Amino acid sequence: MDADPRQYENIEVNENDIHKIVLSYLVHNCFKDTVESFIACTGVKQPIDHLEDMEKRKRIFHFALDGNASKAIELTEEFAPGLLEENKDLHFNLLSLRFVELVCSRKIDEALGFAQSKFTPFGKEQKYVEKLEDFMALLAYEEPEKYPMFHLLSSEHRQHVADSLNRAILAHRKLPSHSAMERLIQQITVVKQCLNQESGKDGHQQPFSLMDFLKS
C-alpha cells in the first residue's frame, strides 16, 4: 500500500540516512575538522581517500576565495590535470580574479602583461571579448570600487567562482558535484512549485517560499 502523503510525519526515517546526508554536505564544503568529529560521534563510514581529496580541495577553494587565483590554478592543474582545459569558462573566471587582484593592487603594468599573456587565447570568442572589455575598462578607474561592474570585484563573485571550481573538481574526480542535502532541497523546491501551480489553477495560487517551508 502506498503511503498517505498527508501522514508524512508518521514515516520513519533511517538515522543512518540522515547521517549520510549531513556528512555529504560537510565533505562537499571541505569542513574537514567537522567531518572528523562527526565521523567519530556517529560511526558513519567515509573512505580515507575522500578525506585526503577534501584537504586538497579545501586549499584550492580558499585560494580562489581569497583572490589568489594563480595559486588556485596551479594546485588545480596538479590535482585535476586537464580540468581547466576542458572548462574554459571556469578557467577564464579564475584568470579574471587574478587580473582584478592586480588592478586593485594598482599593479597596472603587471596587470596588462598578465592580460596579454593569459587572455589572448580567449580573444577569438565573442562572449569572452565582451567580458574582457569590461575588465579592461577597470584600468580607467583610480578607485576600482566606483566601477559600474563592481560586482566583479566583490566577495560574492569570488565565492561563486570558488564554488564553481569546487564542483568542477568533484565532477572531475567522479564524485557528486552537489551534496545530497542540496539535491533534496532542489527536489523539494521543484515539487512544491509544481504543486502550487496545480493548486493555483483555481486562481488561489500562493507563491512558494523555501524559507517558509523549512519553518513549517
Side-chain angles (χ1 to χ4, degrees), residues 62-174:
H62 283 289
F63 277 126
L65 190 62
D66 293 339
N68 191 343
S70 294
K71 192 64 177 177
I73 290 172
E74 176 189 336
L75 293 178
T76 298
E77 290 175 340
E78 291 177 3
F79 184 53
L83 169 62
L84 297 179
E85 287 76 6
E86 297 167 3
N87 195 327
K88 290 184 68 176
D89 287 351
L90 178 58
H91 193 188
F92 180 86
N93 287 337
L94 283 167
L95 292 172
S96 299
L97 290 183
R98 175 59 178 164
F99 177 77
V100 167
E101 179 188 4
L102 291 172
V103 173
C104 289
S105 300
R106 307 314 296 167
K107 298 177 180 178
I108 304 304
D109 290 341
E110 189 175 347
L112 287 170
F114 178 86
Q116 186 174 17
S117 64
K118 299 297 184 180
F119 287 135
T120 298
F122 297 90
K124 297 178 181 179
E125 297 185 44
Q126 187 58 35
K127 66 175 181 178
Y128 295 123
V129 170
E130 293 173 357
K131 292 179 179 179
L132 284 171
E133 290 173 349
D134 288 336
F135 283 116
M136 296 307 291
L138 181 61
L139 295 170
Y141 288 81
E142 288 290 335
E143 300 178 71
E145 63 274 9
K146 294 183 178 179
Y147 179 46
M149 302 290 286
F150 180 68
H151 71 276
L152 297 174
L153 317 180
S154 67
S155 58
E156 289 80 7
H157 179 64
R158 292 198 303 274
Q159 178 77 50
H160 172 73
V161 175
D163 285 338
S164 297
L165 177 57
N166 187 44
R167 295 188 199 284
I169 292 174
L170 285 165
H172 187 83
R173 305 285 291 179
K174 309 301 182 185

